[in-house]
Amino acid sequence: MLDLAYIRENKDKVREALKIRAPKLDFEGFLGLDTKRRELLQQVDALRAERNRANDRISVLLKERKNTKEEIESMKSISQKINDFELKMGQIESKVYEILYIIPNIPHNSVKNGSDNTQNTLISSWGTPRKFEVRPKEHTEIGQKLGIFDTVRSSKISGSGFTVYTGVGAQLQRALINFMLDTHFRKHGYIEIWPPSIVNRASMTGTGQLPKFEEDMYRLKDDDLFLIPTAEVPVTNLYRDEVLREEDLPLKYTAYTPCFRREAGSYGKDTKGLVRVHQFDKVELVKFCKPETSYDEHEKLLKDADKILELLEIPYRVVRLCSGDMGFAAAKCYDIEAWASGLNRWLEVSSVSNFEAFQARRANIRYKR
């Protein structure tokens, strides 16, 4: 989340960003609540000081063996006022933080101001998409003909939005996962981990999925646990509520996990074949680094992700997302897109984001210089 002090000092910048990033959010109401909370805090501090002075007067009177009834009644009245103000302040503070947790990150200065993906910026491309003399078949038709995945039987097992990989398809899936993990571990210097695929509410809140996107997540109600939407969640939360050592940074992790998304909101539109499913496999990259090196590390991470497609000889392009197309927690984001001949369009195959301190503040991850 954003630092309250940053919001107060950069109200105009935040207000302008939210016009696109969160147009329905009542930012002026939020600022009013924060102002009221600070005013109450000043009043409470003044009353505490007055109570301390009254207590000092009572001590003096007791030493002089004088009547302290009036001073004690006065101190009781002050204490009651403090309690009343603290109650109001606590209620307002809860509302302030409730809103603070749904305010998105503010875009980096290099991010274009735009409302949707039509305003994204093409950064680079690699390879040439293959041209066909006839219309190429879609992946669903190819997959069924080769028998490498089965969406009909998976629907019988789990419902729509799932798939069963069979035979060579299952082997290909496993081989790609191993290939990516080995490349990032052996050639790019990432530490491989195998995290849990079920996490608690604090973990989902730390990376920004909660509270805003709870309807898109699979929740185990009896335990208040969640199936992860990406390995980013457990990997980032490895260091929740911890202080890292400066000499250990940057820390680089890669992890494979199955990922689960209900897609209950507006993202549930494109459901044909494997384009958007409720369960998918993903190899994730996560870096913990110092603020002053984060954008250099961001560019390096992009190259590490690019390298996978180059080794697989898949033509791709890199686009920098505009402010309105970025994820909730991102300050800057690149999408890597591969050309899908059967669908005649580019498909996002990787998203590379810099969250700056947004997730670190939510998860209370710090480092000591």
Tab-separated table of all heavy atoms in Angstrom, residues 155-201:
chain	number	residue	atom	x	y	z
A	155	SER	N	-14.097	-31.039	-17.921
A	155	SER	CA	-15.370	-30.420	-17.521
A	155	SER	C	-16.212	-31.393	-16.705
A	155	SER	O	-16.895	-31.004	-15.757
A	155	SER	CB	-16.151	-29.980	-18.765
A	155	SER	OG	-15.467	-28.955	-19.450
A	156	LYS	N	-16.152	-32.675	-17.080
A	156	LYS	CA	-16.871	-33.695	-16.325
A	156	LYS	C	-16.311	-33.818	-14.910
A	156	LYS	O	-17.056	-33.982	-13.937
A	156	LYS	CB	-16.759	-35.037	-17.056
A	156	LYS	CG	-17.426	-36.203	-16.323
A	156	LYS	CD	-17.429	-37.465	-17.170
A	156	LYS	CE	-16.015	-37.974	-17.449
A	156	LYS	NZ	-16.024	-39.252	-18.189
A	157	ILE	N	-14.982	-33.678	-14.795
A	157	ILE	CA	-14.322	-33.834	-13.498
A	157	ILE	C	-14.504	-32.593	-12.625
A	157	ILE	O	-14.839	-32.701	-11.439
A	157	ILE	CB	-12.810	-34.100	-13.689
A	157	ILE	CG1	-12.593	-35.407	-14.449
A	157	ILE	CG2	-12.089	-34.134	-12.341
A	157	ILE	CD1	-11.168	-35.592	-14.929
A	158	SER	N	-14.283	-31.412	-13.212
A	158	SER	CA	-14.191	-30.187	-12.418
A	158	SER	C	-15.133	-29.067	-12.856
A	158	SER	O	-15.314	-28.103	-12.121
A	158	SER	CB	-12.756	-29.645	-12.465
A	158	SER	OG	-11.832	-30.604	-12.030
A	159	GLY	N	-15.672	-29.133	-14.064
A	159	GLY	CA	-16.465	-28.039	-14.603
A	159	GLY	C	-15.682	-27.302	-15.663
A	159	GLY	O	-14.540	-27.645	-15.982
A	160	SER	N	-16.280	-26.249	-16.225
A	160	SER	CA	-15.612	-25.493	-17.288
A	160	SER	C	-14.435	-24.706	-16.742
A	160	SER	O	-14.380	-24.373	-15.554
A	160	SER	CB	-16.598	-24.537	-17.962
A	160	SER	OG	-17.089	-23.604	-17.024
A	161	GLY	N	-13.482	-24.411	-17.612
A	161	GLY	CA	-12.323	-23.623	-17.200
A	161	GLY	C	-11.170	-24.445	-16.672
A	161	GLY	O	-10.230	-23.899	-16.083
A	162	PHE	N	-11.224	-25.768	-16.887
A	162	PHE	CA	-10.136	-26.650	-16.475
A	162	PHE	C	-9.751	-27.530	-17.662
A	162	PHE	O	-10.488	-27.620	-18.642
A	162	PHE	CB	-10.557	-27.528	-15.295
A	162	PHE	CG	-10.861	-26.756	-14.044
A	162	PHE	CD1	-12.139	-26.266	-13.821
A	162	PHE	CD2	-9.881	-26.512	-13.101
A	162	PHE	CE1	-12.434	-25.539	-12.675
A	162	PHE	CE2	-10.157	-25.790	-11.957
A	162	PHE	CZ	-11.438	-25.302	-11.739
A	163	THR	N	-8.578	-28.166	-17.575
A	163	THR	CA	-8.170	-29.074	-18.642
A	163	THR	C	-7.401	-30.255	-18.071
A	163	THR	O	-6.827	-30.163	-16.974
A	163	THR	CB	-7.312	-28.342	-19.698
A	163	THR	OG1	-7.180	-29.161	-20.851
A	163	THR	CG2	-5.938	-28.003	-19.149
A	164	VAL	N	-7.412	-31.347	-18.818
A	164	VAL	CA	-6.605	-32.519	-18.495
A	164	VAL	C	-5.558	-32.665	-19.588
A	164	VAL	O	-5.898	-32.738	-20.771
A	164	VAL	CB	-7.470	-33.801	-18.445
A	164	VAL	CG1	-6.572	-35.034	-18.312
A	164	VAL	CG2	-8.454	-33.749	-17.292
A	165	TYR	N	-4.274	-32.641	-19.229
A	165	TYR	CA	-3.206	-32.896	-20.198
A	165	TYR	C	-2.956	-34.396	-20.251
A	165	TYR	O	-2.863	-35.046	-19.202
A	165	TYR	CB	-1.931	-32.152	-19.807
A	165	TYR	CG	-2.083	-30.650	-19.878
A	165	TYR	CD1	-2.378	-29.909	-18.734
A	165	TYR	CD2	-1.944	-29.987	-21.092
A	165	TYR	CE1	-2.527	-28.530	-18.801
A	165	TYR	CE2	-2.091	-28.601	-21.161
A	165	TYR	CZ	-2.388	-27.886	-20.020
A	165	TYR	OH	-2.548	-26.525	-20.097
A	166	THR	N	-2.852	-34.933	-21.445
A	166	THR	CA	-2.721	-36.386	-21.584
A	166	THR	C	-1.525	-36.744	-22.458
A	166	THR	O	-1.174	-36.012	-23.393
A	166	THR	CB	-3.996	-36.983	-22.212
A	166	THR	OG1	-4.229	-36.369	-23.487
A	166	THR	CG2	-5.204	-36.736	-21.324
A	167	GLY	N	-0.905	-37.886	-22.156
A	167	GLY	CA	0.173	-38.401	-22.986
A	167	GLY	C	1.293	-37.408	-23.182
A	167	GLY	O	1.875	-36.876	-22.228
A	168	VAL	N	1.577	-37.143	-24.462
A	168	VAL	CA	2.654	-36.209	-24.811
A	168	VAL	C	2.367	-34.817	-24.249
A	168	VAL	O	3.292	-34.071	-23.898
A	168	VAL	CB	2.842	-36.157	-26.350
A	168	VAL	CG1	3.873	-35.097	-26.720
A	168	VAL	CG2	3.272	-37.508	-26.876
A	169	GLY	N	1.086	-34.449	-24.163
A	169	GLY	CA	0.734	-33.138	-23.602
A	169	GLY	C	1.181	-33.000	-22.164
A	169	GLY	O	1.730	-31.964	-21.764
A	170	ALA	N	0.966	-34.045	-21.370
A	170	ALA	CA	1.399	-34.026	-19.968
A	170	ALA	C	2.921	-33.992	-19.872
A	170	ALA	O	3.501	-33.282	-19.044
A	170	ALA	CB	0.849	-35.242	-19.238
A	171	GLN	N	3.591	-34.741	-20.748
A	171	GLN	CA	5.058	-34.751	-20.751
A	171	GLN	C	5.616	-33.396	-21.164
A	171	GLN	O	6.613	-32.918	-20.613
A	171	GLN	CB	5.556	-35.840	-21.704
A	171	GLN	CG	5.219	-37.265	-21.260
A	171	GLN	CD	5.565	-38.290	-22.323
A	171	GLN	OE1	6.606	-38.187	-22.976
A	171	GLN	NE2	4.698	-39.285	-22.500
A	172	LEU	N	4.964	-32.783	-22.157
A	172	LEU	CA	5.397	-31.457	-22.618
A	172	LEU	C	5.256	-30.426	-21.499
A	172	LEU	O	6.161	-29.602	-21.277
A	172	LEU	CB	4.574	-31.033	-23.833
A	172	LEU	CG	4.836	-29.625	-24.376
A	172	LEU	CD1	6.284	-29.469	-24.836
A	172	LEU	CD2	3.872	-29.309	-25.521
A	173	GLN	N	4.127	-30.466	-20.781
A	173	GLN	CA	3.897	-29.536	-19.678
A	173	GLN	C	4.993	-29.683	-18.618
A	173	GLN	O	5.576	-28.705	-18.155
A	173	GLN	CB	2.513	-29.819	-19.076
A	173	GLN	CG	2.044	-28.793	-18.067
A	173	GLN	CD	1.430	-27.574	-18.721
A	173	GLN	OE1	1.649	-27.301	-19.904
A	173	GLN	NE2	0.670	-26.813	-17.953
A	174	ARG	N	5.273	-30.934	-18.251
A	174	ARG	CA	6.298	-31.205	-17.231
A	174	ARG	C	7.681	-30.794	-17.725
A	174	ARG	O	8.479	-30.212	-16.971
A	174	ARG	CB	6.273	-32.689	-16.867
A	174	ARG	CG	7.355	-33.148	-15.909
A	174	ARG	CD	7.003	-34.509	-15.308
A	174	ARG	NE	6.628	-35.498	-16.315
A	174	ARG	CZ	7.507	-36.252	-16.989
A	174	ARG	NH1	8.810	-36.110	-16.764
A	174	ARG	NH2	7.093	-37.153	-17.865
A	175	ALA	N	7.972	-31.048	-19.002
A	175	ALA	CA	9.284	-30.704	-19.562
A	175	ALA	C	9.490	-29.187	-19.597
A	175	ALA	O	10.584	-28.687	-19.301
A	175	ALA	CB	9.415	-31.286	-20.966
A	176	LEU	N	8.435	-28.443	-19.949
A	176	LEU	CA	8.544	-26.977	-19.990
A	176	LEU	C	8.794	-26.401	-18.600
A	176	LEU	O	9.604	-25.478	-18.437
A	176	LEU	CB	7.276	-26.368	-20.592
A	176	LEU	CG	7.129	-26.479	-22.110
A	176	LEU	CD1	5.729	-26.072	-22.546
A	176	LEU	CD2	8.178	-25.628	-22.823
A	177	ILE	N	8.115	-26.953	-17.604
A	177	ILE	CA	8.315	-26.483	-16.226
A	177	ILE	C	9.765	-26.717	-15.796
A	177	ILE	O	10.431	-25.813	-15.272
A	177	ILE	CB	7.339	-27.198	-15.270
A	177	ILE	CG1	5.900	-26.741	-15.545
A	177	ILE	CG2	7.705	-26.929	-13.807
A	177	ILE	CD1	4.851	-27.613	-14.897
A	178	ASN	N	10.270	-27.923	-16.037
A	178	ASN	CA	11.654	-28.232	-15.665
A	178	ASN	C	12.646	-27.371	-16.429
A	178	ASN	O	13.650	-26.898	-15.868
A	178	ASN	CB	11.949	-29.708	-15.920
A	178	ASN	CG	11.325	-30.619	-14.880
A	178	ASN	OD1	11.090	-30.200	-13.754
A	178	ASN	ND2	11.044	-31.854	-15.255
A	179	PHE	N	12.379	-27.171	-17.721
A	179	PHE	CA	13.255	-26.349	-18.562
A	179	PHE	C	13.358	-24.924	-18.014
A	179	PHE	O	14.451	-24.355	-17.901
A	179	PHE	CB	12.729	-26.345	-19.994
A	179	PHE	CG	13.319	-25.283	-20.862
A	179	PHE	CD1	14.643	-25.344	-21.279
A	179	PHE	CD2	12.552	-24.198	-21.270
A	179	PHE	CE1	15.191	-24.353	-22.086
A	179	PHE	CE2	13.095	-23.201	-22.067
A	179	PHE	CZ	14.410	-23.285	-22.477
A	180	MET	N	12.215	-24.345	-17.658
A	180	MET	CA	12.223	-22.962	-17.154
A	180	MET	C	12.927	-22.879	-15.802
A	180	MET	O	13.765	-21.986	-15.578
A	180	MET	CB	10.788	-22.440	-17.037
A	180	MET	CG	10.098	-22.247	-18.365
A	180	MET	SD	8.415	-21.616	-18.143
A	180	MET	CE	7.802	-21.761	-19.822
A	181	LEU	N	12.606	-23.799	-14.891
A	181	LEU	CA	13.248	-23.784	-13.579
A	181	LEU	C	14.759	-23.966	-13.697
A	181	LEU	O	15.543	-23.250	-13.048
A	181	LEU	CB	12.661	-24.881	-12.689
A	181	LEU	CG	11.234	-24.661	-12.176
A	181	LEU	CD1	10.713	-25.923	-11.494
A	181	LEU	CD2	11.171	-23.481	-11.209
A	182	ASP	N	15.178	-24.914	-14.521
A	182	ASP	CA	16.616	-25.171	-14.692
A	182	ASP	C	17.329	-23.969	-15.295
A	182	ASP	O	18.447	-23.629	-14.889
A	182	ASP	CB	16.832	-26.403	-15.577
A	182	ASP	CG	16.495	-27.703	-14.853
A	182	ASP	OD1	16.375	-27.673	-13.619
A	182	ASP	OD2	16.349	-28.750	-15.529
A	183	THR	N	16.683	-23.320	-16.268
A	183	THR	CA	17.295	-22.140	-16.894
A	183	THR	C	17.485	-21.023	-15.879
A	183	THR	O	18.566	-20.421	-15.783
A	183	THR	CB	16.435	-21.639	-18.064
A	183	THR	OG1	16.320	-22.675	-19.045
A	183	THR	CG2	17.062	-20.403	-18.709
A	184	HIS	N	16.457	-20.740	-15.098
A	184	HIS	CA	16.549	-19.640	-14.130
A	184	HIS	C	17.480	-19.979	-12.969
A	184	HIS	O	18.173	-19.098	-12.443
A	184	HIS	CB	15.154	-19.292	-13.605
A	184	HIS	CG	14.235	-18.734	-14.652
A	184	HIS	ND1	14.632	-17.739	-15.524
A	184	HIS	CD2	12.944	-19.031	-14.969
A	184	HIS	CE1	13.626	-17.451	-16.325
A	184	HIS	NE2	12.600	-18.214	-16.024
A	185	PHE	N	17.537	-21.237	-12.596
A	185	PHE	CA	18.404	-21.650	-11.496
A	185	PHE	C	19.869	-21.712	-11.935
A	185	PHE	O	20.750	-21.125	-11.301
A	185	PHE	CB	17.937	-23.002	-10.949
A	185	PHE	CG	18.916	-23.660	-10.022
A	185	PHE	CD1	19.283	-23.071	-8.826
A	185	PHE	CD2	19.484	-24.884	-10.359
A	185	PHE	CE1	20.191	-23.678	-7.976
A	185	PHE	CE2	20.393	-25.495	-9.516
A	185	PHE	CZ	20.745	-24.895	-8.324
A	186	ARG	N	20.123	-22.409	-13.044
A	186	ARG	CA	21.499	-22.659	-13.458
A	186	ARG	C	22.138	-21.493	-14.210
A	186	ARG	O	23.333	-21.248	-14.076
A	186	ARG	CB	21.543	-23.919	-14.320
A	186	ARG	CG	21.188	-25.188	-13.540
A	186	ARG	CD	21.121	-26.402	-14.428
A	186	ARG	NE	20.797	-27.615	-13.667
A	186	ARG	CZ	20.478	-28.775	-14.203
A	186	ARG	NH1	20.435	-28.899	-15.528
A	186	ARG	NH2	20.203	-29.813	-13.438
A	187	LYS	N	21.364	-20.786	-15.023
A	187	LYS	CA	21.937	-19.737	-15.866
A	187	LYS	C	21.682	-18.323	-15.351
A	187	LYS	O	22.478	-17.427	-15.595
A	187	LYS	CB	21.385	-19.873	-17.287
A	187	LYS	CG	21.809	-21.168	-17.976
A	187	LYS	CD	21.318	-21.214	-19.412
A	187	LYS	CE	21.781	-22.499	-20.108
A	187	LYS	NZ	21.300	-22.569	-21.527
A	188	HIS	N	20.570	-18.124	-14.646
A	188	HIS	CA	20.218	-16.770	-14.226
A	188	HIS	C	20.421	-16.531	-12.735
A	188	HIS	O	20.220	-15.419	-12.255
A	188	HIS	CB	18.764	-16.466	-14.607
A	188	HIS	CG	18.509	-16.518	-16.081
A	188	HIS	ND1	17.258	-16.746	-16.641
A	188	HIS	CD2	19.359	-16.368	-17.141
A	188	HIS	CE1	17.344	-16.730	-17.952
A	188	HIS	NE2	18.606	-16.518	-18.285
A	189	GLY	N	20.786	-17.571	-11.997
A	189	GLY	CA	21.168	-17.384	-10.599
A	189	GLY	C	20.038	-17.240	-9.599
A	189	GLY	O	20.234	-16.704	-8.496
A	190	TYR	N	18.851	-17.735	-9.930
A	190	TYR	CA	17.736	-17.682	-8.988
A	190	TYR	C	17.778	-18.897	-8.055
A	190	TYR	O	18.232	-19.973	-8.439
A	190	TYR	CB	16.397	-17.675	-9.737
A	190	TYR	CG	16.110	-16.381	-10.472
A	190	TYR	CD1	16.712	-16.112	-11.707
A	190	TYR	CD2	15.247	-15.428	-9.947
A	190	TYR	CE1	16.451	-14.928	-12.385
A	190	TYR	CE2	14.973	-14.240	-10.621
A	190	TYR	CZ	15.586	-14.000	-11.837
A	190	TYR	OH	15.331	-12.829	-12.515
A	191	ILE	N	17.279	-18.712	-6.850
A	191	ILE	CA	17.150	-19.808	-5.900
A	191	ILE	C	15.797	-20.468	-6.135
A	191	ILE	O	14.763	-19.790	-6.122
A	191	ILE	CB	17.239	-19.302	-4.449
A	191	ILE	CG1	18.581	-18.609	-4.206
A	191	ILE	CG2	17.031	-20.438	-3.451
A	191	ILE	CD1	18.634	-17.830	-2.904
A	192	GLU	N	15.782	-21.768	-6.332
A	192	GLU	CA	14.510	-22.448	-6.553
A	192	GLU	C	13.867	-22.831	-5.224
A	192	GLU	O	14.538	-23.326	-4.325
A	192	GLU	CB	14.718	-23.712	-7.396
A	192	GLU	CG	13.405	-24.440	-7.687
A	192	GLU	CD	13.597	-25.737	-8.455
A	192	GLU	OE1	14.708	-25.981	-8.970
A	192	GLU	OE2	12.619	-26.515	-8.536
A	193	ILE	N	12.571	-22.589	-5.116
A	193	ILE	CA	11.818	-23.057	-3.958
A	193	ILE	C	10.526	-23.717	-4.442
A	193	ILE	O	10.090	-23.484	-5.577
A	193	ILE	CB	11.488	-21.934	-2.945
A	193	ILE	CG1	10.535	-20.911	-3.570
A	193	ILE	CG2	12.732	-21.262	-2.435
A	193	ILE	CD1	9.946	-19.974	-2.545
A	194	TRP	N	9.931	-24.532	-3.592
A	194	TRP	CA	8.671	-25.198	-3.901
A	194	TRP	C	7.703	-24.834	-2.778
A	194	TRP	O	7.636	-25.512	-1.760
A	194	TRP	CB	8.852	-26.714	-3.984
A	194	TRP	CG	7.730	-27.402	-4.692
A	194	TRP	CD1	6.416	-27.408	-4.339
A	194	TRP	CD2	7.828	-28.177	-5.891
A	194	TRP	NE1	5.673	-28.135	-5.220
A	194	TRP	CE2	6.515	-28.639	-6.195
A	194	TRP	CE3	8.875	-28.553	-6.722
A	194	TRP	CZ2	6.245	-29.437	-7.299
A	194	TRP	CZ3	8.603	-29.349	-7.817
A	194	TRP	CH2	7.302	-29.787	-8.102
A	195	PRO	N	6.949	-23.763	-2.930
A	195	PRO	CA	6.121	-23.260	-1.828
A	195	PRO	C	4.757	-23.940	-1.764
A	195	PRO	O	4.355	-24.635	-2.703
A	195	PRO	CB	5.954	-21.781	-2.192
A	195	PRO	CG	5.919	-21.797	-3.699
A	195	PRO	CD	6.875	-22.896	-4.123
A	196	PRO	N	4.007	-23.717	-0.682
A	196	PRO	CA	2.631	-24.218	-0.592
A	196	PRO	C	1.746	-23.537	-1.643
A	196	PRO	O	2.016	-22.407	-2.061
A	196	PRO	CB	2.188	-23.822	0.823
A	196	PRO	CG	3.435	-23.513	1.562
A	196	PRO	CD	4.418	-23.022	0.548
A	197	SER	N	0.684	-24.224	-2.037
A	197	SER	CA	-0.281	-23.651	-2.980
A	197	SER	C	-1.521	-23.126	-2.273
A	197	SER	O	-2.451	-22.654	-2.923
A	197	SER	CB	-0.689	-24.702	-4.016
A	197	SER	OG	0.416	-25.051	-4.822
A	198	ILE	N	-1.540	-23.220	-0.950
A	198	ILE	CA	-2.619	-22.669	-0.140
A	198	ILE	C	-2.001	-21.721	0.876
A	198	ILE	O	-1.027	-22.066	1.539
A	198	ILE	CB	-3.401	-23.793	0.583
A	198	ILE	CG1	-4.058	-24.728	-0.440
A	198	ILE	CG2	-4.455	-23.211	1.517
A	198	ILE	CD1	-4.768	-25.908	0.191
A	199	VAL	N	-2.555	-20.517	0.966
A	199	VAL	CA	-1.970	-19.500	1.847
A	199	VAL	C	-3.058	-18.874	2.720
A	199	VAL	O	-4.254	-19.000	2.436
A	199	VAL	CB	-1.244	-18.394	1.041
A	199	VAL	CG1	-0.087	-18.972	0.250
A	199	VAL	CG2	-2.219	-17.666	0.118
A	200	ASN	N	-2.622	-18.147	3.747
A	200	ASN	CA	-3.577	-17.506	4.651
A	200	ASN	C	-3.945	-16.101	4.162
A	200	ASN	O	-3.392	-15.588	3.195
A	200	ASN	CB	-3.037	-17.476	6.087
A	200	ASN	CG	-1.680	-16.796	6.182
A	200	ASN	OD1	-1.355	-15.895	5.406
A	200	ASN	ND2	-0.866	-17.230	7.133
A	201	ARG	N	-4.879	-15.497	4.848
A	201	ARG	CA	-5.394	-14.171	4.462
A	201	ARG	C	-4.295	-13.109	4.522
A	201	ARG	O	-4.252	-12.206	3.677
A	201	ARG	CB	-6.567	-13.806	5.368
A	201	ARG	CG	-7.233	-12.480	5.055
A	201	ARG	CD	-8.507	-12.284	5.863
A	201	ARG	NE	-9.572	-13.174	5.386
A	201	ARG	CZ	-10.421	-12.853	4.414
A	201	ARG	NH1	-10.334	-11.662	3.818
A	201	ARG	NH2	-11.353	-13.700	4.042
